[in-house]
Amino acid sequence: MKCGEVEKGLIAFVDERASATERRDVEAHLAGCPACRTRVDQFRGIANLLGEVPAIEPSFGFDARMWQRVAAEPQRASWFAWLVPQARLALSAAMLVALTVWMVKLPANRPQVPVPTPAAVTASSDQDFDAIKDLGVLENYDVLTKFDALSESATAEPQLHDKAQSDEPSSND
Amino acid sequence: MARSDVQLMLDVKAGDEASFDFLLQKYRSPLVNFLNRMVRDQATAEDLAQEVFLRVYRARKQYTPSAKFTTWLFRIATNLALNSVRDNRHQRMGISLDAPADGEDSAPMELPAREPRVDQRMVERDRVEIIRRAIWSLPEKQRAAVVLHKYEEMDYVEIAGILECSEGALKSMLFRAYETLRVELAPLLNQPAAPRGGEGRPS
């Protein structure tokens, strides 16, 4: 194996954490590579040097400062905290506006009375009137006032038609 | 029977602050030392260590034991340390750009590449301080890898988990770090350490 192929395993070899295979590969390489033998010796020296740096102790008062910071933490989120995030606030406002707009438009979209069916047309004139008196299209005073005339003309039309038929022979005459 | 870290954390989640104190006592020293080796300033290291514990405390309600507790703890610490180091570097660079070019009081910028070689510094600096500086001169991630490997004695899988890299990448990182240290600390390699108490000052 070349130097570059074993270099990844050198630190694990030095700190004796290499796997059996890794160790065998490195040992085989070191047997024929004086440069890497020197490198491994120096790595051991570096590991010893690093061990010379003493540890420090946290300063007096570390724990007290820590607990002060913990005590300053909010223990439980209040209902008001729910409102604080800007995204939630914006979403709530948008929903409120949408609801308001929808409610303002609601009466215009909803039909006030059911649309009369053909069966209703054949009902009595009083029922017809009740059914259609509130319709928007008939909120015309003229139409409403002439409603009786319209219903009469509707019933009179077949008579006129019959009359016209009976008149035809005389005109031909 | 001693409770595991995960069990302690689950107890913290259930509202037991004594368990949090137990974790604090157990890990404050390793964390402060790790962070001190990363940022090279004890006051900053302690602030960051407290921030780590505070984040653990804040996250207690959402805690699920998906990873080893120390992996989680040191991952938070590493991220905070890397951010702190980067922020400080930017600040230093900002200061050097704004400082007068020939100001009498302007201290030399502490960029590792521009520092004098180890053998030049040895006459005036403590041996331990030289080793500390050599560690600090490593790129941040290599430094974290060396500190976690050497001082926290973590295994490769855990360090790779903390640094969020593969085990192979970690081994390469450690090799490169030791190669740099081999050059930086070459003058000390053949010099035996002074007996303890003299704090390693070269004779």
Side-chain angles (χ1 to χ4, degrees):
Chain A
M1 289 178 93
K2 292 179 180 174
C3 299
E5 292 172 297
V6 293
E7 65 182 28
K8 269 189 186 179
L10 286 184
I11 302 298
F13 180 79
V14 167
D15 68 18
E16 299 177 350
R17 291 189 223 174
S19 65
T21 315
E22 220 170 18
R23 195 170 61 243
R24 221 174 17 250
D25 288 346
V26 173
E27 281 171 348
H29 176 77
L30 293 180
C33 181
C36 280
R37 279 203 299 274
T38 306
R39 180 178 279 136
V40 164
D41 285 344
Q42 289 179 331
F43 281 177
R44 287 199 178 103
I46 295 296
N48 290 336
L49 284 176
L50 295 179
E52 288 181 30
V53 180
I56 58 165
E57 277 300 312
S59 63
F60 183 78
F62 179 89
D63 287 4
R65 287 202 307 279
M66 184 72 243
W67 283 109
Q68 249 177 3
R69 291 181 76 174
V70 169
E73 287 290 301
Q75 290 301 308
R76 188 169 294 172
S78 65
W79 67 268
F80 183 73
W82 188 86
L83 284 173
V84 172
Q86 297 302 312
R88 284 179 183 160
L89 197 61
L91 180 67
S92 303
M95 285 176 70
L96 192 64
V97 169
L99 187 67
T100 309
V101 169
W102 181 71
M103 286 185 74
V104 165
K105 288 192 170 179
L106 190 60
N109 294 337
R110 185 194 289 171
Q112 294 296 306
V113 290
V115 176
T117 59
V121 175
T122 59
S124 68
S125 58
D126 288 337
Q127 285 173 326
D128 284 347
F129 182 75
D130 286 337
I132 62 172
K133 67 178 179 181
D134 292 324
L135 276 175
V137 291
L138 294 177
E139 281 177 8
N140 184 312
Y141 182 76
D142 290 333
V143 175
L144 284 173
T145 51
K146 291 172 183 171
F147 178 77
D148 289 336
L150 283 170
S151 59
E152 279 174 17
S153 66
T155 53
E157 196 175 332
Q159 293 170 0
L160 288 170
H161 184 69
D162 291 341
K163 190 173 180 287
Q165 278 183 334
S166 63
D167 288 345
E168 264 179 46
S170 64
S171 66
N172 285 339
D173 292 338
Chain B
M1 188 180 158
R3 286 177 293 169
S4 67
D5 292 342
V6 167
Q7 187 53 54
L8 284 166
M9 197 55 215
L10 289 171
D11 290 346
V12 175
K13 182 180 184 177
D16 180 19
E17 297 217 330
S19 294
F20 182 72
D21 188 48
F22 200 90
L23 288 169
L24 177 65
Q25 299 307 317
K26 188 175 178 183
Y27 288 110
R28 62 177 195 161
S29 192
L31 269 184
V32 168
N33 272 285
F34 167 70
L35 289 161
N36 186 47
R37 286 175 177 125
M38 288 297 293
V39 302
R40 214 176 58 158
D41 178 74
Q42 183 163 353
T44 308
E46 290 194 4
D47 273 352
L48 292 176
Q50 292 195 350
E51 185 60 32
V52 174
F53 282 117
L54 210 56
R55 289 189 184 197
V56 167
Y57 186 79
R58 282 177 192 150
R60 68 195 184 283
K61 295 289 182 193
Q62 291 81 42
Y63 176 74
T64 47
S66 55
K68 205 173 166 185
F69 176 75
T70 45
T71 306
W72 181 46
L73 190 74
F74 278 88
R75 189 182 290 164
I76 299 171
T78 303
N79 289 337
L80 285 172
L82 294 179
N83 287 341
S84 172
V85 168
R86 284 165 193 160
D87 288 350
N88 275 345
R89 189 172 49 217
H90 290 149
Q91 274 178 3
R92 281 207 313 275
M93 290 176 82
I95 288 165
S96 71
L97 287 172
D98 297 339
D102 53 352
E104 288 176 13
D105 295 326
S106 59
M109 203 164 80
E110 290 186 317
L111 282 177
R114 294 188 182 182
E115 286 185 345
R117 283 184 54 82
V118 167
D119 50 354
Q120 294 167 326
R121 293 198 309 251
M122 277 180 72
V123 289
E124 58 192 42
R125 290 197 193 280
D126 185 23
R127 178 184 172 97
V128 171
E129 185 58 22
I130 291 168
I131 300 168
R132 281 200 185 110
R133 280 175 171 270
I135 297 168
W136 203 78
S137 72
L138 295 170
E140 294 100 8
K141 258 197 156 173
Q142 286 185 26
R143 194 186 324 159
V146 167
V147 173
L148 291 169
H149 172 260
K150 176 64 191 171
Y151 299 104
E152 304 309 323
E153 297 184 333
M154 288 179 174
D155 60 45
Y156 292 105
V157 175
E158 185 164 17
I159 301 172
I162 291 168
L163 299 179
E164 296 175 280
C165 64
S166 69
E167 207 178 317
L170 169 67
K171 287 180 174 176
S172 293
M173 212 187 293
L174 280 170
F175 173 79
R176 288 198 303 275
Y178 270 65
E179 280 287 86
T180 305
L181 292 173
R182 194 163 72 102
V183 175
E184 278 286 306
L185 298 174
L188 295 184
L189 278 171
N190 299 320
Q191 201 174 55
R196 282 277 178 205
E199 193 54 3
R201 189 169 290 280
S203 54

